[in-house]
Amino acid sequence: MVKILEGFPRVHATFNIVPLLAEQIKEYAGGQFSEPWFDIAFAPATSLTTDQKREALERAFQVSDPILQRRPRLVELQSRVRSSGIEASVAQFSVQDWRDLQVLSQLVWMDEEYLANDPVVKKLEAKGSNFSEEDKAVLLDKQHELLAAVLPEYRHACARGQIEISTTPYYHPILPLLCDTDIARVANPHTPLPQPPFRFPQDTREQLARAREYHEKTFGKAPTGLWPSEGSVSDQALEIAMELGFKWFATDEGVLGRTRNIGFWRDAAGYAENGPALYTPWRLKRSTGEMSGFFRDHYLSDLVGFVYSRMSAEAAAEDLHRRIRSIGERAQAGPTATVSLILDGENAWEYYPGNGREFLKLFYGRLEKDTEINALTMSEAAEAIKDQPVMEGIFPASWISANFDVWIGHSEDVRAWDLLREAREAFERAAQRAATARGNVKGAAAGVQSGAIQGGPAGEPTQNRADWGPDLKRAYEAVLAAEGSDWCWWYGPEHSSSNDTEFDELYRKHLAEIYNALGEHAPDALAQPIRRAPERGRREPPTAYLNVQIDGRESNYFEWLGAGLYASDRRTSAMHGRIYVLGDFHYGFDQEHFYLRVDPIPEAIAEMPEFQLRITLWDSRETRITLHIEEGKCAGSVIEQGGICLLHPKALVSAAYGKILEASLSRELFDLHERKQLLLSVALWKGGLPVDLLPGEGVLEVTLGEENFGWDGE
């Protein structure tokens, strides 16, 4: 899009680039990245493993149908997979099939300009099939070359004054929700909310400050404008943006409508009711400063996004030009009309013939020749309208339905926010301890006592970054990454993709990384997917006292007869593509011991010679027993009770691992005073990250008392 503008010097435009996206583009261009799918696409076809072949078949066809249909060989391969299934295709595809799939899976993402004019890309596209390993190597080099040209092209266009580049908070968070999740109730009083709320406006400041710093480093100057992630605004979020130096923001007409309590229904010609309010920038004035606000014409933007791709390029360009002229003609008696045409820059074009190139050229050509229309950047438009109407506050909402329901309107979203808040609070406590320790050291050196650094105004950091060592910095990076909006985009019923499970797993890995960096135990809840309703396992109470030999195998048929049971239905189900590791567990008592047996799923556990099994019990305290499995055997245990590590764990816990895991826990570990039940969960962790959890619902209630073949409360 930015390259096309060179031929139309009167047409100016604004491009928004998310800093994290720009950083990823740099990593790709420099080859300094690790991505399994990329490795699969360019690995020698003869070296692909069975798992890599499965992943190739799942990913290679994730492209819009119009683009896929242009490649007969890719259509043929997809048809074979659909008719035979993935497993049969893994076994039946030839080396040439895999090589063609690899190359075509990359060619489908090439821009029309390169398909038509780049010698390498054009030759490969024309070849269409029977690709060689040399073809793959040439394509890899070409990818790096083209990726390296992307950001310099934008910087060049910005330097010549034809485009403006705005930014978005660094990790693309929903800023109003970072400031205060309770704000969602303003737009929708029925929105379910996390309790207590998530309130860290200092993270809003950090996400915006990082965006400004990165933008200046990448494009040569600080950004003037802000597209808040998903057009999400609130007074508090924009006040912080003002303080940091942003001069304009953009969002949707729905936000303006709710702010002014007006509507923008269109007449038969498509002109908006209350058009004068929509077709102007507004000046938002707050105690911290002011910003110009632009509100996109939802109707016109959606015509570009969803309708014009089904028309001829000539008819579509003519229709859009005519509609913009019509808006200006209706505003002749008043101030100049400012029409904000805003859409996701990449989403629409793959549905257009030729990736929308002809439509854009024809539309820009009409703007170039029409002296009554000025195609401006946002900053130019703000400067052109000196007497902007003023608003004293803005309605808190996003561009989608003028609320935040996509990111916080469902129980899955609320669960995600709860887990994020708990991790963020763990980080805050660790940072505060670091500040206190530093203050005490300084105070001792000066002969005085010093407490923790106190927080400043809303949106200010609560700790001095000088107190942060590498572990705190690593933890905070994971906090900021987990605050990104796209995690909750996939929770709830609104959106789904082939990669929902991966998004869920990645989100929980970011949260686990916070605890790992802090040297703390991540909660076992992070082993449980958020994206789906918990499974319900079969539960059977004990029917006898046990006499168990702890040796990691079922010594005889009667050893566990009469034990309580939690049985999952995982052996025949891999929900949403997730591979389970834990199957069932048995439990029970004798007079002095609590016994636990965990049955892993053989084919899954075979891939894990090393892991940790965490047994967590709750009476009046939380007791966590971590069993370390190394080279297929139990290599030791750690017991923590009430956050304190107990000495001599071997006197209290005996465990063995073979085909099954068996553990015996001494009665001394338990507080049985007036207790009628214990709570139990079992989690498998690997490399500091959660893998699986039983029960799927979180905990199992173990009822005490002789009538239940358990201990009596003392």
Side-chain angles (χ1 to χ4, degrees):
M1 288 181 71
V2 69
K3 187 72 173 175
I4 292 173
L5 285 172
E6 281 187 350
F8 307 93
R10 280 197 65 242
V11 179
H12 292 191
T14 301
F15 290 84
N16 188 80
I17 297 181
V18 179
L20 187 63
L21 173 62
E23 183 63 29
Q24 289 171 327
I25 290 172
K26 284 184 179 179
E27 288 185 5
Y28 277 117
Q32 303 302 312
F33 66 94
S34 175
E35 183 188 276
W37 167 229
F38 192 88
D39 294 340
I40 292 169
F42 289 98
T46 55
S47 73
L48 292 174
T49 67
T50 298
D51 285 343
Q52 286 179 319
K53 290 175 179 178
R54 287 194 191 99
E55 185 161 356
L57 295 178
E58 290 170 355
R59 293 190 185 273
F61 306 109
Q62 291 181 14
V63 63
S64 67
D65 196 59
I67 290 178
L68 187 144
Q69 292 296 327
R70 290 169 54 174
R71 280 103 182 158
R73 175 65 164 147
L74 195 58
V75 172
E76 174 204 336
L77 293 172
Q78 184 189 51
S79 177
R80 287 169 58 186
V81 174
R82 284 178 171 174
S83 61
S84 302
I86 286 181
E87 293 304 319
S89 299
V90 166
Q92 295 169 5
F93 269 31
S94 68
V95 171
Q96 190 61 60
D97 290 334
W98 292 116
R99 195 176 289 128
D100 286 355
L101 186 69
Q102 288 172 305
V103 173
L104 290 169
S105 74
Q106 303 303 299
L107 278 178
V108 293
W109 295 102
M110 284 291 174
D111 184 81
E112 295 291 331
E113 178 180 336
Y114 307 135
L115 292 170
N117 301 314
D118 184 273
V120 171
V121 179
K122 184 177 181 179
K123 181 179 178 180
L124 292 174
E125 177 75 358
K127 189 173 183 180
S129 63
N130 295 313
F131 296 107
S132 66
E133 291 296 330
E134 291 74 18
D135 290 333
K136 246 185 340 195
V138 169
L139 181 58
L140 176 60
D141 290 341
K142 179 57 66 173
Q143 282 198 7
H144 287 149
E145 174 193 328
L146 298 180
L147 283 163
V150 173
L151 295 179
E153 189 70 46
Y154 283 90
R155 183 164 179 162
H156 175 67
C158 188
R160 71 174 184 260
Q162 192 171 7
I163 75 166
E164 176 179 8
I165 305 174
S166 60
T167 194
T168 290
Y170 190 87
Y171 278 104
H172 204 271
I174 304 298
L175 293 181
L177 299 181
L178 291 195
C179 291
D180 184 357
T181 49
D182 280 356
I183 200 74
R185 281 277 173 88
V186 177
N188 182 356
H190 305 292
T191 296
L193 295 176
Q195 290 300 327
F198 186 98
R199 285 182 183 143
F200 287 95
Q202 59 266 43
D203 291 359
T204 288
R205 180 176 294 274
E206 179 69 17
Q207 297 269 12
L208 286 170
R210 285 193 181 202
R212 290 183 66 82
E213 179 183 357
Y214 184 84
H215 190 100
E216 185 169 11
K217 180 179 69 175
T218 303
F219 299 112
K221 60 181 179 180
T224 300
L226 174 69
W227 171 257
S229 314
E230 308 293 354
S232 299
V233 294
S234 68
D235 287 335
Q236 188 176 10
L238 291 179
E239 285 168 5
I240 295 171
M242 292 173 188
E243 293 172 5
L244 290 172
F246 288 100
K247 300 301 180 186
W248 63 259
F249 68 92
T251 182
D252 187 68
E253 68 178 46
V255 177
L256 177 63
R258 298 203 70 172
T259 301
R260 306 297 299 170
N261 197 27
I262 56 177
F264 299 110
W265 297 275
R266 266 64 180 184
D267 62 19
Y271 186 79
E273 184 178 2
N274 297 307
L278 177 60
Y279 300 124
T280 180
W282 286 76
R283 192 168 303 282
L284 175 65
K285 287 192 174 183
R286 303 292 296 169
S287 59
T288 57
E290 58 183 47
M291 293 176 75
S292 291
F294 292 88
F295 299 89
R296 78 172 190 140
D297 185 312
H298 202 118
Y299 180 77
L300 284 186
S301 300
D302 280 358
L303 286 178
V304 178
F306 304 107
V307 176
Y308 289 150
S309 59
R310 301 194 297 269
M311 299 168 59
S312 71
E314 179 72 35
E318 190 280 329
D319 185 77
L320 183 56
H321 176 245
R322 176 184 57 78
R323 290 177 185 277
I324 293 172
R325 280 202 59 87
S326 175
I327 291 170
E329 288 164 357
R330 295 208 187 190
Q332 282 183 351
T336 302
T338 303
V339 183
S340 298
L341 200 62
I342 305 172
L343 66 153
D344 282 352
E346 81 284 8
N347 282 356
W349 309 122
E350 62 190 90
Y351 295 96
Y352 279 72
N355 234 23
R357 188 172 301 275
E358 189 65 18
F359 162 75
L360 288 170
K361 287 181 177 179
L362 290 170
F363 175 57
Y364 290 161
R366 283 170 167 75
L367 297 182
E368 182 83 10
K369 296 174 184 176
D370 193 331
T371 58
E372 294 184 302
I373 296 178
N374 291 317
L376 305 176
T377 68
M378 295 294 200
S379 289
E380 290 170 341
E383 183 65 25
I385 307 297
K386 301 291 188 183
D387 190 21
Q388 298 173 18
V390 173
M391 57 173 61
E392 302 294 337
I394 196 163
F395 189 88
S398 76
W399 77 269
I400 301 179
S401 303
N403 58 41
F404 300 111
D405 285 0
V406 168
W407 301 277
I408 205 167
H410 186 270
S411 58
E412 290 177 355
D413 300 319
V414 173
R415 181 64 179 145
W417 280 100
D418 281 335
L419 293 171
L420 175 62
R421 184 196 66 251
E422 291 165 6
R424 181 62 178 83
E425 289 172 346
F427 170 82
E428 194 74 7
R429 290 191 296 270
Q432 195 69 40
R433 288 194 298 271
T436 301
R438 183 181 176 89
N440 286 338
V441 169
K442 287 182 176 179
V448 297
Q449 289 188 342
S450 174
I453 297 172
Q454 299 299 311
E460 293 291 341
T462 54
Q463 290 88 26
N464 187 335
R465 297 292 175 84
D467 304 321
W468 293 8
D471 290 340
L472 273 178
K473 291 177 181 177
R474 174 181 147 209
Y476 193 49
E477 202 66 34
V479 166
L480 298 176
E483 290 173 345
S485 72
D486 275 0
W487 311 116
C488 283
W489 179 270
W490 301 109
Y491 293 136
E494 299 95 343
H495 305 109
S496 185
S497 77
S498 302
N499 309 110
D500 288 357
T501 301
E502 290 168 278
F503 276 101
D504 190 357
E505 290 175 355
L506 281 169
Y507 177 66
R508 290 180 286 115
K509 283 182 178 180
H510 280 303
L511 296 180
E513 170 69 1
I514 298 168
Y515 294 98
N516 290 341
L518 297 176
E520 299 183 13
H521 283 300
D524 290 343
L526 294 181
Q528 182 68 17
I530 300 169
R531 182 65 177 116
R532 59 181 179 84
E535 78 245 23
R536 293 287 169 182
R538 179 164 57 92
R539 299 161 184 252
E540 297 178 3
T543 57
Y545 287 108
L546 302 181
N547 181 14
V548 175
Q549 180 180 345
I550 304 299
D551 55 9
R553 59 192 179 91
E554 192 171 9
S555 303
N556 60 72
Y557 171 78
F558 299 99
E559 186 177 29
W560 287 94
L561 193 65
L565 171 68
Y566 178 88
S568 66
D569 185 26
R570 295 174 163 187
R571 299 180 190 276
T572 57
S573 172
M575 289 286 288
H576 300 281
R578 180 172 179 238
I579 303 301
Y580 291 113
V581 182
L582 302 178
D584 310 331
F585 67 75
H586 301 71
Y587 65 95
F589 300 83
D590 68 14
Q591 291 302 313
E592 298 299 329
H593 301 90
F594 176 78
Y595 295 105
L596 180 69
R597 163 185 162 178
V598 180
D599 291 17
I601 298 173
E603 57 271 24
I605 205 68
E607 305 294 325
M608 292 187 180
E610 297 186 1
F611 59 89
Q612 298 82 45
L613 194 82
R614 296 184 182 180
I615 303 166
T616 308
L617 292 146
W618 291 267
D619 40 36
S620 62
R621 306 152 301 185
E622 178 182 298
T623 301
R624 184 194 303 271
I625 299 100
T626 302
L627 304 176
H628 294 272
I629 309 300
E630 297 176 6
E631 297 180 356
K633 296 185 180 299
C634 190
S637 60
V638 176
I639 305 174
E640 296 166 275
Q641 196 163 67
I644 299 172
C645 192
L646 302 186
L647 301 176
H648 311 300
K650 289 184 178 180
L652 300 170
V653 173
S654 175
Y657 176 64
K659 290 187 176 180
I660 60 176
L661 188 140
E662 294 180 312
S664 167
L665 282 58
S666 172
R667 185 167 177 161
E668 295 177 43
L669 278 171
F670 297 86
D671 173 16
L672 301 175
H673 181 64
E674 297 183 351
R675 300 209 66 78
K676 296 183 179 180
Q677 66 179 19
L678 305 171
L679 300 179
L680 168 69
S681 76
V682 178
L684 187 144
W685 286 68
K686 186 176 185 298
L689 296 172
V691 177
D692 204 359
L693 175 71
L694 286 178
E697 302 91 311
V699 295
L700 178 76
E701 295 181 0
V702 178
T703 307
L704 299 176
E706 287 188 13
E707 66 277 16
N708 300 303
F709 298 93
W711 299 323
D712 283 328
E714 298 170 355

